[in-house]
Amino acid sequence: MKKTVLVSGGAGFIGSHVTVELIEAGYDVVVADNFSNCDRTCYEGVKKITGREDLPLEVMDFCDLDAVKALFGKYHIDAVIHFAAYKAVGESVEKPLMYYKNNLVSFLNVLEVAQATGGCNVLFSSSATVYGEPDAVPVTEATPRKPATSPYGNTKTMCEDILHDAVKASGGALKGILLRYFNPIGAHPSALIGELPRGVPNNLVPFITQTAIGKRECLNIFGNDYPTPDGTCQRDFIDIVDLARAHVFAVTRMIEGKMKKDVEIFNVGTGRPLSVMELVNAFEKVNGVKVPHKFAPRRAGDITAIWADPTLANTEMGWKATRTIEETLKAAWAWECRLAGK
Ligand code: UD1
């Protein structure tokens, strides 16, 4: 029988790509979203890519406990992937209570209801932000977590802890996987779904694509005096489709009972560091467009260099990032061009 996966925040950037990969892997998916930070573009795009015009959509807020209860009453859910959360680092510094309330309460509600309705496999979307400024790179899952540099980052660390405690106390009803994402970028090769930031993008790649298309005048490269080979920060940029595929491996591992511990943690990255400057250069080269840029002061809270050691995900889950940075940056550009009607 087909298994059903609930994707909270399933209409967003990561959620929509994960939904596509799950459907293509043979899962039934229920998308749930309150559209607080996205419109219906990606949900419609997912339906087109998969040909699933009947893809269930529940418009709801995971902070509403009754709504979460109703959702779990309506569907038999084998696994839940929880994305529904706020994610802007700077905004979280200005509005910490809004971040703690939304990101923690929604996850608590999912866990409470999942357990009460007989148990479930829970995949939580965590972040490399939990490693803070690491003492050594690359980071493995055993690298100690460091205090987060923002309330947003704190909510990731706290939700990791909450999942550990909830699983431990659940008597086997709950099992969990924490996926720690590095820097997800790009778009689906169909250019039907991709990143749709509201207002001025905080993240690097949407800022690059919007500058290249002329929506922004100039990209500020925050800091060129870091102790890195070219002075700009280094990150592990992971293709969004590769990242989405990691969720299929993780969900299957949980559903097929292949986990070795009740909570498992995997880094989801390429293992390949790329500097901000290298990324900008690669984007210009592969797409044959210019990205006007200048160096600007460092951005508060930025980490100098972080990239993943993805060995555990490679060997244990059998997942590996396969897309090249060129493919990824081409897809990001194709998506921006499609948005601009070009
Ligand atoms: C941040 C979050 C991370 C989150 C990720 C995706 C922290 C410390 N980091 O990662 O948890 O998962 O966003 O939402 O909480 N840059 C520029 N110019 C720009 C934009 C960015 O030079 O206009 C640089 C930044 O200084 C940084 C790199 O590009 O060195 C990547 O920035 P960004 O895309 O915002 O991701 P992170 O800060 O790495």
Side-chain angles (χ1 to χ4, degrees):
M1 208 180 81
K2 266 190 159 186
K3 300 287 183 185
T4 301
V5 183
L6 166 64
V7 182
S8 86
F13 173 46
I14 303 181
S16 58
H17 287 82
V18 168
T19 300
V20 168
E21 297 306 313
L22 286 168
I23 292 172
E24 290 183 348
Y27 288 101
D28 277 335
V29 177
V30 177
V31 172
D33 210 297
N34 66 355
F35 293 102
S36 70
N37 196 33
C38 61
D39 61 19
R40 290 192 176 236
T41 307
C42 288
Y43 171 69
E44 295 303 327
V46 171
K47 291 200 293 187
K48 272 210 191 96
I49 295 168
T50 59
R52 287 287 306 271
E53 271 309 313
D54 58 345
L55 177 63
L57 170 68
E58 300 289 335
V59 181
M60 54 166 292
D61 186 342
F62 279 80
C63 289
D64 178 347
L65 183 60
D66 289 335
V68 181
K69 283 181 183 163
L71 182 67
F72 276 78
K74 185 169 169 185
Y75 302 95
H76 177 85
I77 293 166
D78 298 288
V80 50
I81 305 183
H82 186 64
F83 293 113
Y86 295 149
K87 60 167 191 177
V89 177
E91 184 185 51
S92 79
V93 177
E94 283 156 29
K95 300 176 183 167
L97 300 185
M98 187 176 104
Y99 268 68
Y100 287 120
K101 191 169 180 181
N102 185 60
N103 292 8
L104 299 182
V105 172
S106 60
F107 192 46
L108 290 169
N109 284 347
V110 165
L111 293 174
E112 181 181 326
V113 177
Q115 181 168 350
T117 46
C120 196
N121 298 295
V122 180
L123 194 162
F124 178 68
S125 62
S126 191
S127 165
T129 194
V130 302
Y131 296 115
E133 179 89 57
D135 295 329
V137 277
V139 292
T140 73
E141 293 77 359
T143 298
R145 294 184 316 182
K146 290 258 186 87
T149 51
S150 69
Y152 155 78
N154 254 334
T155 67
K156 293 294 178 194
T157 307
M158 290 161 98
C159 284
E160 286 199 349
D161 291 344
I162 289 168
L163 184 64
H164 277 288
D165 290 344
V167 166
K168 199 168 163 191
S170 74
L174 297 176
K175 293 217 183 332
I177 288 186
L178 298 167
L179 294 184
R180 291 179 177 158
Y181 312 147
F182 284 69
N183 287 61
I185 61 165
H188 193 266
S190 65
L192 289 169
I193 56 175
E195 209 165 354
L196 256 183
R198 288 199 166 156
V200 183
N202 295 308
N203 296 118
L204 180 61
V205 169
F207 209 105
I208 289 177
T209 57
Q210 291 193 7
T211 306
I213 207 127
K215 266 170 106 174
R216 313 270 157 215
E217 254 174 38
C218 184
L219 167 75
N220 284 316
I221 295 182
F222 299 132
N224 63 341
D225 58 350
Y226 282 99
T228 58
D230 66 16
T232 65
C233 295
Q234 292 174 301
R235 293 289 183 274
D236 186 332
F237 297 99
I238 164 102
D239 186 277
I240 186 67
V241 176
D242 275 334
L243 180 106
R245 285 175 41 248
H247 295 71
V248 177
F249 281 81
V251 160
T252 303
R253 182 175 174 88
M254 291 196 288
I255 287 179
E256 291 183 352
K258 297 203 170 127
M259 293 171 67
K260 296 195 174 146
K261 284 188 284 184
D262 287 345
V263 177
E264 292 183 331
I265 305 173
F266 296 102
N267 282 340
V268 183
T270 64
R272 164 202 65 202
L274 214 63
S275 76
V276 173
M277 198 65 248
E278 286 172 324
L279 189 86
V280 173
N281 290 338
F283 183 89
E284 289 187 326
K285 189 169 169 208
V286 72
N287 292 310
V289 287
K290 283 279 161 219
V291 181
H293 58 270
K294 65 175 191 313
F295 294 116
R298 291 181 177 192
R299 184 173 72 175
D302 271 343
I303 304 300
T304 301
I306 184 161
W307 65 92
D309 177 340
T311 307
L312 194 65
N314 299 164
T315 54
E316 266 301 315
M317 283 206 299
W319 167 87
K320 202 171 180 5
T322 59
R323 287 173 60 80
T324 64
I325 193 69
E326 286 78 18
E327 288 171 316
T328 305
L329 294 175
K330 265 190 191 164
W333 181 232
W335 165 246
E336 187 68 56
C337 290
R338 182 173 163 265
L339 286 178
K342 290 189 180 171

